[in-house]
Amino acid sequence: MKLIFERSHEGRGCSILPECDVPVVSVSSANKREQPLHLPQLSENDLSRHYTELMKHTHGVNDGFYPLGSCTMKYNPKVNEEIAALPGFTKIHPLQPSETAQGSLEVLHKAEEFLCEITGMDNMTFQPAAGAHGEYTGLLLIKAYHEARNDKKRNKIIVPDSAHGTNPASAAMAGFEIVNVTSSPDGCVDVEKLKEVVGDDTAGLMLTNPNTVGLFDKNILEITKIIHEAGGLCYYDGANLNAVMGIVRPGDMGFDVIHLNLHKTFSTPHGGGGPGSGPVGCKKILTPFLPTPVVVKENDKYRLDYDRPQTIGTVKHFYGNFLVVVKALSYILTLGKEGIPEAAQNAVLNCNYLMNKLKDVYNMAFDEGCMHEFVMTISNLKKDKDVSAMDIAKALLDNGIHPPTMYFPLIVEEALMVEPTETESKETLDEASDVFHKIYEEAIANPSALHEAPVSTSVRRLDEVNAARNPHLRYEF
Ligand SMILES: *Cc1c(COP(=O)(O)O)cnc(C)c1O
């Protein structure tokens, strides 16, 4: 399809501005740009068609099944969008006096209260704009905590190999050394190995639970105890809280700090669909270090508190992506105290249902009951028929299904990681199972056909290495 600049025609446009009714102020020539801004010039009709065409080339949650593991691509209820579009939320300015924005501050305060209740934390900041940003913020809290106690030798963060890839990256960015702990054959943290690596240089542990193979670590209480006894703090990666929300609380498992992905678990759109939000919750011992400003409630009024001498500072302007918090709060209030655990139970049920339907032909990496996602390995097909996880993923595209996460986690060969979510019906899961079986039969009978997939999409197989190494992001005029 044509790029928007290729559709542009000199002089065309779609804005009709009213006559200026304020004094005209001219900009000094020193501040004027020398060249006019390169903007595409299109009629509203052309513009509308351009975006509709773009939309047809993508696959979103609104198009079909989207079992992208570790991403929680659940349906985003439209009522959330309606609430977040209310002018009381959209027509405010972050610098206006707190007395005139009481409702919005109440949203932040209530969201903090509910999410702390769900996670077992004492306080929360909404500043981080994404999960990885939340990890980085949480690690800075851990660092500030040890520094405030003059405990300066704690420079190591322990990260099990079943963690999400962002965990070690965030720890490195926060200036820590990373200590890797391998998993046991059952997919959980190897507790004996953990005991060997803790010491008086342990700043903390970062754990993704349920981990990236979809398992709830059965030794969770022992793990947090080992870290605390060594003087470290425990960080819970709660990006995918979908399997456990309303059922168990990381705070009760012994964790001191957590991040959530509102754009996964709490149903706000993500990817191309909108900005993210990675709030960080913590126990009281870390509260003094939270980023500023903090919303406080005094005498039934809300205000922003900037006066926090031990704060780590600001990690994003103002209060983060505020409207995302409005959408998440709308979701929490819609589901309520009964609906939140029910969503978690259905996510786990859907996942186990699909896993068990596929078990007859596909090999599961871990044969236990899964939480919100399961991982299968295509290594046998790869060996016998030269059909890879990539081939299966591409064949799924031809059948109207977004592929699962591929080649992740790294500890599983030829991995496909499937997360159906609670918002898919039994019929959708049955249809998906039929498609997976059909593809398997084709892999056995006619493997070379799968090397050709996808054949029905607007682009075929892409040169992914070249796209990543030499991205072409600018239009050359
Ligand atoms: C998605 C995810 C992250 C990273 O979140 P972003 O918003 O993409 O930065 C971290 N940990 C886990 C377990 C995740 O699934």
Side-chain angles (χ1 to χ4, degrees), residues 185-251:
D186 64 0
C188 295
V189 175
D190 188 328
V191 174
E192 292 313 313
K193 293 227 175 83
L194 180 66
K195 283 182 189 157
E196 282 166 27
V197 297
V198 291
D200 58 6
D201 56 358
T202 301
L205 160 95
M206 282 184 99
L207 201 76
T208 305
N209 187 52
N211 62 20
T212 53
V213 292
L215 301 176
F216 189 102
D217 204 304
K218 58 182 189 297
N219 303 315
I220 199 82
L221 293 174
E222 195 184 349
I223 292 169
T224 54
K225 190 160 162 257
I226 293 168
I227 299 298
H228 283 152
E229 280 175 0
L233 295 181
C234 299
Y235 184 101
Y236 189 99
D237 181 334
N240 294 295
L241 207 68
N242 219 31
V244 297
M245 60 175 180
I247 314 262
V248 285
R249 310 192 314 165

Side-chain angles (χ1 to χ4, degrees), residues 70-71 130-133 135 164 166-167 208 212 237 239-240 259 261 263-264:
S70 202
C71 286
H133 196 189
E135 290 168 26
H164 195 264
T166 48
N167 291 185
T208 305
T212 53
D237 181 334
N240 294 295
H259 86 265
N261 277 24
H263 49 288
K264 290 180 183 167

Side-chain angles (χ1 to χ4, degrees), residues 1-40:
M1 70 177 272
K2 278 188 178 171
L3 298 177
I4 196 162
F5 288 102
E6 293 162 351
R7 283 177 176 258
S8 173
H9 274 277
E10 185 72 35
R12 227 167 251 175
C14 52
S15 52
I16 303 168
L17 296 179
E19 203 129 319
C20 183
D21 59 357
V22 290
V24 176
V25 180
S26 51
V27 180
S28 73
S29 58
N31 287 328
K32 271 190 187 154
R33 50 184 307 132
E34 284 164 12
Q35 303 247 324
L37 200 58
H38 274 306
L39 290 175

Side-chain angles (χ1 to χ4, degrees), residues 294-345:
V294 172
V295 182
V296 290
K297 188 180 182 184
E298 281 165 356
N299 309 324
D300 271 345
K301 287 246 176 312
Y302 300 93
R303 71 173 178 86
L304 292 168
D305 188 11
Y306 285 88
D307 185 20
R308 303 240 156 185
Q310 289 188 290
T311 177
I312 57 163
T314 296
V315 296
K316 188 180 191 308
H317 287 144
F318 305 113
Y319 336 107
N321 288 324
F322 170 67
L323 292 176
V324 181
V325 183
V326 176
K327 292 177 199 182
L329 181 62
S330 159
Y331 177 73
I332 293 168
L333 290 170
T334 307
L335 262 62
K337 207 173 178 141
E338 297 75 29
I340 295 226
E342 195 184 330
Q345 283 162 345

